[in-house]
Amino acid sequence: MPDTITIIDDRTGKKVTVPIEGGVFPASAVRELDPSLYIYDPAYMQTAACKSAITYLDGDAGILRYRGYPIEQLAEKSTYLEVAYLLLNGELPNKSQLEKWTHDVTHHTFIHENMRKRFVDGFHYDAHPMGMFVSSVAALGTFYDDAKDIQSKESRDKQILRLIAKSPTLAAMAYRFSVGLPFQYPDNNLSFPANFLNMMWKVGEYEIDPRLERAMDVLFILHADHEQNCGTTAMRVVGSSHADPYTSAAAAASALYGPLHGGANEAVVRMLEDIGSIDNVPAFIDDVKSGTGSRLMGFGHRVYKNYDPRATIIKKTAYDVFEVTGKNPLLDIALKLEETALNDSYFVDRKLYPNVDFYSGLIYQALGFPVAMFTVLFAIPRTVGWLAHWQELLNDKEQKISRPRQWYTGVDPRDYVPVTSR
Ligand code: ACO
């Protein structure tokens, strides 16, 4: 069977044959047929907008790999900082590379005092932490003259380091401001996840349980990248105009802020609270199936038509966390929902399985995070994914400024009518 596709323009009889590689064929075939012919593809459902060597995802098989490494192995054996290095550089660091990388990230965690005093202090007292995070990421770029120097690898590397190191600081600062607590400075003696937990929770004496530190790190690993999702696409689109990485990352974070993207874990917790008891699960499932109720939040995925591999790991991590914090009372309802749905032909036939958000909210809640912080917790590790894609974009000679076309459906030409005659 030839690995080619032939497209025939029935209007002219002209045909173009192009290769299919990795399940993709170039849209240049359409241009060759007729330069004024476009493909209508809302939400880019069938469009590969870039070549990428960062993350591999097979939704039917439930496979997720970063730079070839299965997510299961990374979640079990690696750390977020090691994974961040891997995503950015393509290879796991050796011992000295890891030491230097860890040292560099650790020593860039502080932010300019004016970020807090002049910028963050200006927010309204009840500002949403994710809104504060989005704006702070953009504002951070204004503190660095070299932020716009995106053609220099040295400058790019410096901004990448700053963004990865400072995102937990900005996140914790947004939280502490929102609850009126004084800002807790980073502690360079702590690991990346422990430093974040310390900045969040330290009031007087605070000791971090290593099991919670590890759980935080695993959650960071699982959320580090997920190829061309809405936020990463925003990063690439804005980055393609050669905006600085802070502005581009703020755009990506804005996309993540939306409830259809980073906000589903919050919806899961609210749904479980509404269900209230395992006795109400069957009636809730019936409502979902009949269409009279809401969807089963945390189930289904645009790409995964199988168990989301991250959901399996998160479910296990949830038990590790509950060992320390005590069981989240919503867990029993979640387990019953999962069991009921996975044995129901409505969900089985539609290939609806738990996604990453089904259990993550329960862990966040058990760790003490308010629901408003859930998307911020997603944004901290996803910063590295955005930056890995930004870097890849800038090094890709085939990329240009993003500029899709439209299918004009408006009115035909007409003459202007003065207001007195309308
Ligand atoms: N509960 C009940 N039914 C569902 C669900 C669900 N969670 N998800 C999909 N379906 C049904 C749809 O009603 C539809 O049924 P039909 O064929 O009888 O009309 C069928 O399954 C296909 O659904 P689509 O909406 O076409 O699937 P799509 O790929 O567009 O949606 C999405 C994916 C948005 C994730 C969807 O499954 C959903 O709304 N899930 C709940 C929200 C959620 O958990 N989002 C987090 C996703 S993970 C992330 O973004 C990090």
Side-chain angles (χ1 to χ4, degrees), residues 260-262 264 268 288 294-303 305 308 310 346-347 350 352 355-357 378:
L260 292 188
H261 190 6
V268 172
V288 169
S294 73
R295 286 191 163 190
L296 175 49
M297 299 311 288
F299 258 67
H301 196 278
R302 173 59 59 77
V303 181
K305 300 301 168 198
D308 179 338
R310 298 167 301 172
Y346 175 95
F347 298 92
R350 289 170 177 78
L352 301 171
N355 61 48
V356 68
D357 290 319
F378 194 153

Side-chain angles (χ1 to χ4, degrees), residues 135-257:
S135 333
S136 307
V137 169
L140 193 63
T142 65
F143 287 83
Y144 304 113
D145 279 350
D146 52 356
K148 292 188 190 315
D149 193 6
I150 62 156
Q151 302 303 345
S152 144
K153 179 173 169 10
E154 196 191 339
S155 169
R156 283 202 302 268
D157 288 349
K158 205 189 280 178
Q159 314 316 323
I160 287 172
L161 192 60
R162 285 174 172 152
L163 271 161
I164 290 171
K166 295 179 202 309
S167 62
T169 315
L170 296 179
M173 187 172 61
Y175 167 72
R176 292 188 72 116
F177 177 83
S178 70
V179 290
L181 277 171
F183 178 52
Q184 176 64 41
Y185 286 100
D187 182 341
N188 291 348
N189 295 312
L190 298 173
S191 72
F192 188 88
N195 180 44
F196 173 59
L197 291 171
N198 196 58
M199 288 189 291
M200 281 290 301
W201 307 124
K202 187 175 166 73
V203 183
E205 285 301 304
Y206 174 63
E207 211 168 300
I208 300 153
D209 188 299
R211 289 168 292 180
L212 300 187
E213 177 182 348
R214 179 61 193 157
M216 202 68 245
D217 216 23
V218 170
L219 286 160
F220 283 166
I221 292 170
L222 298 182
H223 287 91
D225 193 45
H226 209 232
E227 52 117 307
Q228 312 308 319
N229 53 81
C230 184
T232 303
T233 300
M235 182 84 191
R236 280 181 173 267
V237 169
V238 177
S240 79
S241 76
H242 289 182
D244 70 71
Y246 301 88
T247 313
S248 306
S254 305
L256 190 70
Y257 196 178

Side-chain angles (χ1 to χ4, degrees), residues 319 322-323 325-332 366:
Y319 285 102
F322 298 157
E323 251 182 46
T325 62
K327 196 173 75 178
N328 185 326
L330 299 176
L331 176 69
D332 289 337

Side-chain angles (χ1 to χ4, degrees), residues 331-404:
L331 176 69
D332 289 337
I333 303 175
L335 290 170
K336 181 74 183 164
L337 270 177
E338 182 187 341
E339 185 201 314
T340 311
L342 294 183
N343 286 300
D344 189 308
S345 60
Y346 175 95
F347 298 92
V348 175
D349 294 351
R350 289 170 177 78
K351 300 187 175 167
L352 301 171
Y353 293 89
N355 61 48
V356 68
D357 290 319
F358 194 64
Y359 288 103
S360 63
L362 293 186
I363 303 186
Y364 294 150
Q365 216 181 28
L367 288 169
F369 292 101
V371 168
M373 275 298 284
F374 286 8
T375 316
V376 181
L377 294 168
F378 194 153
I380 296 170
R382 185 52 61 82
T383 301
V384 73
W386 296 331
L387 291 163
H389 284 271
W390 174 71
Q391 186 181 250
E392 187 175 65
L393 165 94
L394 294 179
N395 286 325
D396 184 346
K397 300 278 174 284
E398 289 179 5
Q399 287 293 338
K400 292 169 182 284
I401 185 167
S402 282
R403 204 322 183 171

Side-chain angles (χ1 to χ4, degrees), residues 48-107:
C50 63
K51 290 178 181 165
S52 183
I54 299 171
T55 288
Y56 176 80
L57 204 171
D58 180 338
D60 290 323
I63 291 172
L64 175 64
R65 298 184 199 127
Y66 295 161
R67 300 284 191 183
Y69 292 101
I71 191 69
E72 294 81 1
Q73 289 184 24
L74 294 172
E76 192 189 332
K77 299 180 180 155
S78 189
T79 62
Y80 169 69
L81 277 193
E82 194 177 58
V83 164
Y85 185 99
L86 170 71
L87 287 167
L88 289 163
N89 299 289
E91 296 297 335
L92 285 167
N94 63 28
K95 195 166 176 291
S96 63
Q97 285 167 332
L98 182 60
E99 277 166 12
K100 180 171 178 344
W101 171 240
T102 305
H103 176 274
D104 289 350
V105 173
T106 306
H107 289 85

